[in-house]
Amino acid sequence: MQPLSTPPALQVHDLGVREYEPIWRAMQALTNRRTDETPDQLWLLQHPPIFTLGQAGKTEHLLRPGEIPVIQVDRGGQVTYHGPGQLILYLMLDLRRRNLGVRQLVTAMEQTVIGLLGDYDIEAAARREAPGVYVRERKIASLGLRVRRGCSFHGLALNVEMDLEPFQRINPCGYPGLEVTQLADELGPCDLRQVGEALLHHLERQLDLKYYLDPASDRAYRVQDIDS
């Protein structure tokens, strides 16, 4: 598909801490009502504590969730944990408009995180058989996507500075015994706004987001709240 002659500006929404289910429903609603002219959107945020199971997720990977809520959603993958101090990046992209395949998007997301970690001299790698990003065999970022009508939603979760204990209550991403880590433990930055800006910079490079430059701005994106 040929790109639009006057592509809409990419929108980035910095949402702070938001409950999981309203954000999930908002992603679904945006995807359902999209047209060819709808701008792509990136949402940066954090969630209160919650375990999420992918659409084919197995409850056997929930070991002892305790008081933390569990919700089954429509992304791929098994079970993961979200909580304060973890940076979430949701990607609502028209893949057809970008001539972008799902595997290409997954690779771009992984390379975005790997590039970010490299800025802080943290050596990281991806695994084709187990999507995500790993530091010394410990998972630092999880990925989960859904594609509907040629458009993506859901995205990635990067552990920055959070309580990692809830990961011990599950088999992370369906892998018993998988250890997790975070930027704080790898001597990286703990400022989520700083990390978020760096993450967007690397994603811009991976996906050539300058294609969406707003002619009224010298930035590759504009920030607003999804409620505005």
Side-chain angles (χ1 to χ4, degrees), residues 147-201:
V147 175
R148 180 185 298 164
R149 301 171 60 231
C151 299
S152 69
F153 58 106
H154 294 287
L156 68 86
L158 173 63
N159 304 334
V160 179
E161 185 180 28
M162 61 187 301
D163 180 6
L164 297 179
E165 185 277 333
F167 285 102
Q168 299 175 23
R169 307 188 195 185
I170 60 175
N171 292 327
C173 304
Y175 291 91
L178 178 63
E179 296 184 11
V180 298
T181 188
Q182 58 184 335
L183 270 173
D185 294 342
E186 304 300 331
L187 305 181
C190 299
D191 184 318
L192 269 78
R193 182 171 293 277
Q194 174 190 346
V195 174
E197 290 176 356
L199 195 68
L200 290 173
H201 172 71

Tab-separated table of all heavy atoms in Angstrom, residues 147-201:
chain	number	residue	atom	x	y	z
A	147	VAL	N	-3.278	-7.807	16.488
A	147	VAL	CA	-3.484	-7.109	15.220
A	147	VAL	C	-4.910	-7.369	14.762
A	147	VAL	O	-5.350	-8.518	14.678
A	147	VAL	CB	-2.476	-7.570	14.148
A	147	VAL	CG1	-2.794	-6.906	12.802
A	147	VAL	CG2	-1.053	-7.237	14.577
A	148	ARG	N	-5.640	-6.286	14.502
A	148	ARG	CA	-7.023	-6.375	14.043
A	148	ARG	C	-7.201	-5.375	12.911
A	148	ARG	O	-6.760	-4.241	13.011
A	148	ARG	CB	-7.996	-6.064	15.190
A	148	ARG	CG	-9.459	-6.142	14.798
A	148	ARG	CD	-10.338	-5.701	15.947
A	148	ARG	NE	-10.202	-6.549	17.114
A	148	ARG	CZ	-10.623	-6.205	18.328
A	148	ARG	NH1	-11.166	-5.018	18.537
A	148	ARG	NH2	-10.485	-7.031	19.332
A	149	ARG	N	-7.804	-5.809	11.825
A	149	ARG	CA	-8.041	-4.938	10.664
A	149	ARG	C	-6.733	-4.306	10.188
A	149	ARG	O	-6.707	-3.168	9.757
A	149	ARG	CB	-9.082	-3.865	11.020
A	149	ARG	CG	-10.415	-4.414	11.461
A	149	ARG	CD	-11.356	-3.361	12.009
A	149	ARG	NE	-11.641	-2.354	10.996
A	149	ARG	CZ	-11.514	-1.045	11.210
A	149	ARG	NH1	-11.091	-0.600	12.374
A	149	ARG	NH2	-11.803	-0.198	10.254
A	150	GLY	N	-5.651	-5.064	10.303
A	150	GLY	CA	-4.357	-4.576	9.838
A	150	GLY	C	-3.697	-3.569	10.752
A	150	GLY	O	-2.692	-2.956	10.365
A	151	CYS	N	-4.223	-3.403	11.962
A	151	CYS	CA	-3.694	-2.413	12.896
A	151	CYS	C	-3.321	-3.077	14.213
A	151	CYS	O	-4.014	-3.978	14.691
A	151	CYS	CB	-4.727	-1.315	13.149
A	151	CYS	SG	-5.199	-0.402	11.658
A	152	SER	N	-2.230	-2.603	14.809
A	152	SER	CA	-1.732	-3.191	16.053
A	152	SER	C	-2.254	-2.443	17.271
A	152	SER	O	-2.578	-1.259	17.210
A	152	SER	CB	-0.203	-3.176	16.063
A	152	SER	OG	0.296	-1.851	16.180
A	153	PHE	N	-2.330	-3.176	18.391
A	153	PHE	CA	-2.477	-2.557	19.702
A	153	PHE	C	-1.834	-3.463	20.734
A	153	PHE	O	-1.295	-4.510	20.394
A	153	PHE	CB	-3.921	-2.174	20.041
A	153	PHE	CG	-4.940	-3.285	20.028
A	153	PHE	CD1	-5.454	-3.790	21.206
A	153	PHE	CD2	-5.422	-3.799	18.826
A	153	PHE	CE1	-6.418	-4.787	21.201
A	153	PHE	CE2	-6.391	-4.798	18.805
A	153	PHE	CZ	-6.883	-5.293	20.007
A	154	HIS	N	-1.840	-3.074	21.996
A	154	HIS	CA	-0.964	-3.604	23.048
A	154	HIS	C	0.483	-3.171	22.721
A	154	HIS	O	0.674	-2.222	21.973
A	154	HIS	CB	-1.113	-5.113	23.221
A	154	HIS	CG	-2.462	-5.525	23.725
A	154	HIS	ND1	-2.875	-5.317	25.027
A	154	HIS	CD2	-3.509	-6.136	23.095
A	154	HIS	CE1	-4.110	-5.778	25.194
A	154	HIS	NE2	-4.526	-6.269	24.034
A	155	GLY	N	1.497	-3.830	23.278
A	155	GLY	CA	2.851	-3.343	23.037
A	155	GLY	C	3.891	-3.962	23.925
A	155	GLY	O	3.993	-5.184	24.001
A	156	LEU	N	4.670	-3.127	24.638
A	156	LEU	CA	5.794	-3.640	25.430
A	156	LEU	C	5.769	-3.056	26.832
A	156	LEU	O	5.223	-1.989	27.076
A	156	LEU	CB	7.130	-3.360	24.734
A	156	LEU	CG	7.628	-1.929	24.590
A	156	LEU	CD1	8.408	-1.483	25.822
A	156	LEU	CD2	8.516	-1.796	23.352
A	157	ALA	N	6.408	-3.794	27.743
A	157	ALA	CA	6.538	-3.387	29.141
A	157	ALA	C	8.000	-3.510	29.532
A	157	ALA	O	8.583	-4.598	29.438
A	157	ALA	CB	5.661	-4.257	30.038
A	158	LEU	N	8.590	-2.412	29.979
A	158	LEU	CA	9.999	-2.370	30.373
A	158	LEU	C	10.081	-2.150	31.878
A	158	LEU	O	9.559	-1.155	32.400
A	158	LEU	CB	10.713	-1.236	29.630
A	158	LEU	CG	12.156	-0.938	30.040
A	158	LEU	CD1	13.067	-2.131	29.769
A	158	LEU	CD2	12.666	0.306	29.319
A	159	ASN	N	10.746	-3.061	32.571
A	159	ASN	CA	10.918	-2.942	34.016
A	159	ASN	C	11.977	-1.881	34.307
A	159	ASN	O	13.127	-2.028	33.898
A	159	ASN	CB	11.348	-4.279	34.622
A	159	ASN	CG	10.390	-5.412	34.309
A	159	ASN	OD1	9.203	-5.177	34.067
A	159	ASN	ND2	10.879	-6.630	34.318
A	160	VAL	N	11.580	-0.833	35.008
A	160	VAL	CA	12.497	0.273	35.307
A	160	VAL	C	12.907	0.242	36.771
A	160	VAL	O	14.042	-0.085	37.105
A	160	VAL	CB	11.880	1.634	34.923
A	160	VAL	CG1	12.844	2.772	35.267
A	160	VAL	CG2	11.556	1.664	33.425
A	161	GLU	N	11.998	0.585	37.658
A	161	GLU	CA	12.269	0.512	39.100
A	161	GLU	C	10.965	0.148	39.780
A	161	GLU	O	10.116	0.998	40.034
A	161	GLU	CB	12.808	1.837	39.629
A	161	GLU	CG	13.220	1.756	41.094
A	161	GLU	CD	13.762	3.064	41.634
A	161	GLU	OE1	13.356	4.135	41.127
A	161	GLU	OE2	14.573	3.034	42.576
A	162	MET	N	10.794	-1.129	40.079
A	162	MET	CA	9.527	-1.634	40.570
A	162	MET	C	9.761	-2.755	41.570
A	162	MET	O	10.889	-3.244	41.734
A	162	MET	CB	8.680	-2.135	39.391
A	162	MET	CG	9.331	-3.278	38.626
A	162	MET	SD	8.465	-3.761	37.107
A	162	MET	CE	6.857	-4.227	37.706
A	163	ASP	N	8.701	-3.179	42.222
A	163	ASP	CA	8.741	-4.354	43.087
A	163	ASP	C	8.627	-5.587	42.190
A	163	ASP	O	7.587	-5.822	41.572
A	163	ASP	CB	7.589	-4.295	44.081
A	163	ASP	CG	7.553	-5.497	45.019
A	163	ASP	OD1	8.494	-6.329	44.970
A	163	ASP	OD2	6.577	-5.611	45.791
A	164	LEU	N	9.691	-6.378	42.123
A	164	LEU	CA	9.711	-7.549	41.246
A	164	LEU	C	9.099	-8.792	41.901
A	164	LEU	O	8.950	-9.824	41.230
A	164	LEU	CB	11.146	-7.856	40.807
A	164	LEU	CG	11.855	-6.788	39.963
A	164	LEU	CD1	13.283	-7.242	39.645
A	164	LEU	CD2	11.097	-6.489	38.680
A	165	GLU	N	8.748	-8.716	43.172
A	165	GLU	CA	8.242	-9.898	43.875
A	165	GLU	C	7.053	-10.556	43.193
A	165	GLU	O	6.987	-11.797	43.114
A	165	GLU	CB	7.888	-9.526	45.318
A	165	GLU	CG	7.458	-10.704	46.195
A	165	GLU	CD	5.975	-11.068	46.029
A	165	GLU	OE1	5.165	-10.165	45.678
A	165	GLU	OE2	5.629	-12.248	46.226
A	166	PRO	N	6.076	-9.792	42.646
A	166	PRO	CA	4.938	-10.460	42.015
A	166	PRO	C	5.315	-11.393	40.865
A	166	PRO	O	4.550	-12.325	40.555
A	166	PRO	CB	4.075	-9.286	41.533
A	166	PRO	CG	4.380	-8.197	42.508
A	166	PRO	CD	5.845	-8.330	42.755
A	167	PHE	N	6.457	-11.176	40.212
A	167	PHE	CA	6.863	-12.102	39.154
A	167	PHE	C	7.127	-13.493	39.702
A	167	PHE	O	7.100	-14.476	38.945
A	167	PHE	CB	8.108	-11.577	38.435
A	167	PHE	CG	7.858	-10.424	37.498
A	167	PHE	CD1	8.176	-9.126	37.866
A	167	PHE	CD2	7.290	-10.638	36.253
A	167	PHE	CE1	7.958	-8.063	37.004
A	167	PHE	CE2	7.053	-9.578	35.379
A	167	PHE	CZ	7.385	-8.290	35.763
A	168	GLN	N	7.404	-13.598	41.000
A	168	GLN	CA	7.622	-14.903	41.613
A	168	GLN	C	6.315	-15.659	41.814
A	168	GLN	O	6.324	-16.854	42.123
A	168	GLN	CB	8.352	-14.738	42.946
A	168	GLN	CG	9.718	-14.089	42.834
A	168	GLN	CD	10.364	-13.834	44.171
A	168	GLN	OE1	10.044	-14.483	45.171
A	168	GLN	NE2	11.296	-12.890	44.218
A	169	ARG	N	5.198	-14.984	41.630
A	169	ARG	CA	3.895	-15.619	41.799
A	169	ARG	C	3.362	-16.225	40.507
A	169	ARG	O	2.253	-16.766	40.467
A	169	ARG	CB	2.882	-14.590	42.318
A	169	ARG	CG	3.318	-13.844	43.554
A	169	ARG	CD	2.168	-13.008	44.067
A	169	ARG	NE	2.578	-12.000	45.029
A	169	ARG	CZ	1.728	-11.216	45.694
A	169	ARG	NH1	0.422	-11.344	45.474
A	169	ARG	NH2	2.172	-10.313	46.532
A	170	ILE	N	4.133	-16.083	39.426
A	170	ILE	CA	3.720	-16.601	38.123
A	170	ILE	C	4.908	-17.287	37.456
A	170	ILE	O	6.052	-17.184	37.917
A	170	ILE	CB	3.213	-15.465	37.205
A	170	ILE	CG1	4.324	-14.426	36.964
A	170	ILE	CG2	1.967	-14.822	37.778
A	170	ILE	CD1	3.949	-13.333	35.960
A	171	ASN	N	4.621	-17.992	36.370
A	171	ASN	CA	5.663	-18.415	35.432
A	171	ASN	C	5.722	-17.325	34.366
A	171	ASN	O	4.893	-17.319	33.454
A	171	ASN	CB	5.334	-19.764	34.803
A	171	ASN	CG	5.389	-20.902	35.796
A	171	ASN	OD1	6.195	-20.891	36.728
A	171	ASN	ND2	4.530	-21.891	35.621
A	172	PRO	N	6.651	-16.382	34.479
A	172	PRO	CA	6.622	-15.226	33.568
A	172	PRO	C	6.621	-15.648	32.105
A	172	PRO	O	7.464	-16.434	31.669
A	172	PRO	CB	7.912	-14.480	33.927
A	172	PRO	CG	8.191	-14.862	35.343
A	172	PRO	CD	7.768	-16.296	35.437
A	173	CYS	N	5.614	-15.156	31.389
A	173	CYS	CA	5.476	-15.463	29.958
A	173	CYS	C	5.367	-16.957	29.695
A	173	CYS	O	5.630	-17.428	28.581
A	173	CYS	CB	6.625	-14.843	29.167
A	173	CYS	SG	6.772	-13.060	29.417
A	174	GLY	N	4.977	-17.729	30.737
A	174	GLY	CA	4.785	-19.163	30.572
A	174	GLY	C	6.033	-19.990	30.748
A	174	GLY	O	6.008	-21.196	30.446
A	175	TYR	N	7.115	-19.418	31.278
A	175	TYR	CA	8.384	-20.135	31.442
A	175	TYR	C	8.690	-20.319	32.928
A	175	TYR	O	9.090	-19.360	33.606
A	175	TYR	CB	9.515	-19.376	30.754
A	175	TYR	CG	9.409	-19.387	29.247
A	175	TYR	CD1	8.729	-18.362	28.577
A	175	TYR	CD2	9.944	-20.421	28.491
A	175	TYR	CE1	8.603	-18.375	27.194
A	175	TYR	CE2	9.822	-20.438	27.110
A	175	TYR	CZ	9.152	-19.418	26.474
A	175	TYR	OH	9.019	-19.436	25.106
A	176	PRO	N	8.507	-21.535	33.444
A	176	PRO	CA	8.800	-21.771	34.861
A	176	PRO	C	10.256	-21.431	35.194
A	176	PRO	O	11.181	-21.795	34.462
A	176	PRO	CB	8.546	-23.277	35.029
A	176	PRO	CG	7.579	-23.608	33.936
A	176	PRO	CD	7.971	-22.736	32.783
A	177	GLY	N	10.433	-20.715	36.289
A	177	GLY	CA	11.774	-20.400	36.746
A	177	GLY	C	12.448	-19.241	36.041
A	177	GLY	O	13.599	-18.911	36.366
A	178	LEU	N	11.761	-18.606	35.089
A	178	LEU	CA	12.373	-17.487	34.385
A	178	LEU	C	12.588	-16.326	35.354
A	178	LEU	O	11.659	-15.889	36.037
A	178	LEU	CB	11.487	-17.030	33.226
A	178	LEU	CG	11.977	-15.817	32.425
A	178	LEU	CD1	13.296	-16.118	31.728
A	178	LEU	CD2	10.925	-15.372	31.411
A	179	GLU	N	13.816	-15.830	35.420
A	179	GLU	CA	14.124	-14.697	36.284
A	179	GLU	C	13.925	-13.390	35.528
A	179	GLU	O	14.062	-13.331	34.301
A	179	GLU	CB	15.566	-14.798	36.790
A	179	GLU	CG	15.815	-16.012	37.676
A	179	GLU	CD	17.224	-16.036	38.229
A	179	GLU	OE1	17.942	-15.028	38.107
A	179	GLU	OE2	17.618	-17.076	38.798
A	180	VAL	N	13.615	-12.352	36.279
A	180	VAL	CA	13.422	-11.032	35.683
A	180	VAL	C	14.390	-10.047	36.323
A	180	VAL	O	14.924	-10.287	37.406
A	180	VAL	CB	11.969	-10.538	35.841
A	180	VAL	CG1	11.000	-11.459	35.118
A	180	VAL	CG2	11.594	-10.415	37.306
A	181	THR	N	14.612	-8.946	35.630
A	181	THR	CA	15.465	-7.893	36.145
A	181	THR	C	14.866	-6.548	35.758
A	181	THR	O	13.786	-6.481	35.151
A	181	THR	CB	16.911	-8.041	35.632
A	181	THR	OG1	17.758	-7.088	36.302
A	181	THR	CG2	17.003	-7.821	34.123
A	182	GLN	N	15.542	-5.465	36.115
A	182	GLN	CA	15.037	-4.128	35.820
A	182	GLN	C	16.207	-3.164	35.693
A	182	GLN	O	17.337	-3.467	36.100
A	182	GLN	CB	14.082	-3.671	36.918
A	182	GLN	CG	14.693	-3.640	38.308
A	182	GLN	CD	13.688	-3.280	39.374
A	182	GLN	OE1	12.680	-2.624	39.098
A	182	GLN	NE2	13.930	-3.671	40.606
A	183	LEU	N	15.904	-1.999	35.114
A	183	LEU	CA	16.955	-1.007	34.897
A	183	LEU	C	17.666	-0.630	36.190
A	183	LEU	O	18.888	-0.478	36.212
A	183	LEU	CB	16.349	0.247	34.262
A	183	LEU	CG	16.314	0.306	32.730
A	183	LEU	CD1	15.535	1.528	32.273
A	183	LEU	CD2	17.705	0.340	32.152
A	184	ALA	N	16.916	-0.474	37.274
A	184	ALA	CA	17.528	-0.079	38.538
A	184	ALA	C	18.578	-1.083	38.991
A	184	ALA	O	19.637	-0.706	39.505
A	184	ALA	CB	16.454	0.082	39.614
A	185	ASP	N	18.312	-2.371	38.791
A	185	ASP	CA	19.258	-3.406	39.217
A	185	ASP	C	20.434	-3.545	38.267
A	185	ASP	O	21.439	-4.170	38.612
A	185	ASP	CB	18.540	-4.755	39.339
A	185	ASP	CG	17.514	-4.755	40.462
A	185	ASP	OD1	17.604	-3.860	41.333
A	185	ASP	OD2	16.619	-5.622	40.453
A	186	GLU	N	20.295	-2.986	37.062
A	186	GLU	CA	21.382	-3.020	36.083
A	186	GLU	C	22.126	-1.693	36.042
A	186	GLU	O	22.887	-1.431	35.107
A	186	GLU	CB	20.818	-3.357	34.699
A	186	GLU	CG	20.036	-4.663	34.635
A	186	GLU	CD	20.859	-5.889	35.007
A	186	GLU	OE1	22.093	-5.855	34.792
A	186	GLU	OE2	20.268	-6.868	35.511
A	187	LEU	N	21.893	-0.852	37.056
A	187	LEU	CA	22.561	0.450	37.192
A	187	LEU	C	22.178	1.422	36.070
A	187	LEU	O	22.967	2.294	35.695
A	187	LEU	CB	24.084	0.292	37.279
A	187	LEU	CG	24.588	-0.656	38.382
A	187	LEU	CD1	26.107	-0.708	38.393
A	187	LEU	CD2	24.049	-0.245	39.746
A	188	GLY	N	20.961	1.252	35.567
A	188	GLY	CA	20.437	2.183	34.577
A	188	GLY	C	19.632	3.277	35.252
A	188	GLY	O	19.464	3.293	36.475
A	189	PRO	N	19.085	4.225	34.489
A	189	PRO	CA	18.311	5.325	35.055
A	189	PRO	C	16.971	4.842	35.600
A	189	PRO	O	16.426	3.835	35.130
A	189	PRO	CB	18.130	6.273	33.870
A	189	PRO	CG	18.179	5.377	32.680
A	189	PRO	CD	19.177	4.306	33.020
A	190	CYS	N	16.440	5.553	36.571
A	190	CYS	CA	15.172	5.189	37.187
A	190	CYS	C	14.071	6.223	36.944
A	190	CYS	O	12.955	6.045	37.419
A	190	CYS	CB	15.358	4.987	38.692
A	190	CYS	SG	16.525	3.670	39.106
A	191	ASP	N	14.397	7.294	36.243
A	191	ASP	CA	13.427	8.341	35.940
A	191	ASP	C	12.582	7.876	34.756
A	191	ASP	O	13.068	7.799	33.617
A	191	ASP	CB	14.157	9.642	35.619
A	191	ASP	CG	13.218	10.816	35.389
A	191	ASP	OD1	12.185	10.632	34.714
A	191	ASP	OD2	13.531	11.914	35.863
A	192	LEU	N	11.316	7.564	35.002
A	192	LEU	CA	10.482	6.997	33.946
A	192	LEU	C	10.254	7.968	32.800
A	192	LEU	O	10.133	7.552	31.648
A	192	LEU	CB	9.139	6.523	34.506
A	192	LEU	CG	9.148	5.051	34.947
A	192	LEU	CD1	9.833	4.908	36.292
A	192	LEU	CD2	7.756	4.457	34.984
A	193	ARG	N	10.193	9.272	33.084
A	193	ARG	CA	10.029	10.224	31.988
A	193	ARG	C	11.265	10.235	31.095
A	193	ARG	O	11.159	10.247	29.865
A	193	ARG	CB	9.744	11.625	32.534
A	193	ARG	CG	9.503	12.662	31.445
A	193	ARG	CD	9.014	13.965	32.034
A	193	ARG	NE	7.693	13.821	32.619
A	193	ARG	CZ	6.560	13.886	31.911
A	193	ARG	NH1	6.604	14.093	30.595
A	193	ARG	NH2	5.396	13.769	32.495
A	194	GLN	N	12.451	10.210	31.715
A	194	GLN	CA	13.691	10.164	30.947
A	194	GLN	C	13.765	8.895	30.112
A	194	GLN	O	14.106	8.930	28.919
A	194	GLN	CB	14.890	10.226	31.895
A	194	GLN	CG	16.245	10.031	31.203
A	194	GLN	CD	17.383	9.862	32.200
A	194	GLN	OE1	17.232	10.130	33.400
A	194	GLN	NE2	18.520	9.403	31.721
A	195	VAL	N	13.416	7.771	30.724
A	195	VAL	CA	13.464	6.498	30.001
A	195	VAL	C	12.434	6.491	28.876
A	195	VAL	O	12.702	6.001	27.772
A	195	VAL	CB	13.231	5.320	30.969
A	195	VAL	CG1	13.143	3.995	30.205
A	195	VAL	CG2	14.356	5.251	32.016
A	196	GLY	N	11.259	7.057	29.141
A	196	GLY	CA	10.227	7.098	28.109
A	196	GLY	C	10.649	7.905	26.904
A	196	GLY	O	10.422	7.497	25.752
A	197	GLU	N	11.276	9.045	27.133
A	197	GLU	CA	11.740	9.868	26.015
A	197	GLU	C	12.816	9.138	25.212
A	197	GLU	O	12.831	9.190	23.974
A	197	GLU	CB	12.267	11.196	26.545
A	197	GLU	CG	11.177	12.111	27.085
A	197	GLU	CD	11.736	13.387	27.691
A	197	GLU	OE1	12.980	13.519	27.756
A	197	GLU	OE2	10.928	14.256	28.085
A	198	ALA	N	13.713	8.447	25.911
A	198	ALA	CA	14.763	7.693	25.215
A	198	ALA	C	14.164	6.530	24.424
A	198	ALA	O	14.598	6.230	23.307
A	198	ALA	CB	15.793	7.177	26.221
A	199	LEU	N	13.137	5.893	24.997
A	199	LEU	CA	12.480	4.781	24.305
A	199	LEU	C	11.832	5.271	23.014
A	199	LEU	O	11.948	4.626	21.961
A	199	LEU	CB	11.442	4.152	25.235
A	199	LEU	CG	10.909	2.775	24.838
A	199	LEU	CD1	11.998	1.717	24.963
A	199	LEU	CD2	9.719	2.401	25.724
A	200	LEU	N	11.163	6.413	23.071
A	200	LEU	CA	10.540	6.975	21.870
A	200	LEU	C	11.596	7.311	20.811
A	200	LEU	O	11.373	7.105	19.614
A	200	LEU	CB	9.750	8.231	22.229
A	200	LEU	CG	8.480	8.026	23.048
A	200	LEU	CD1	7.911	9.376	23.469
A	200	LEU	CD2	7.449	7.219	22.274
A	201	HIS	N	12.725	7.827	21.259
A	201	HIS	CA	13.805	8.163	20.316
A	201	HIS	C	14.264	6.923	19.564
A	201	HIS	O	14.442	6.947	18.336
A	201	HIS	CB	14.970	8.792	21.075
A	201	HIS	CG	16.200	8.998	20.240
A	201	HIS	ND1	16.284	9.955	19.251
A	201	HIS	CD2	17.406	8.350	20.235
A	201	HIS	CE1	17.469	9.897	18.668
A	201	HIS	NE2	18.165	8.944	19.250
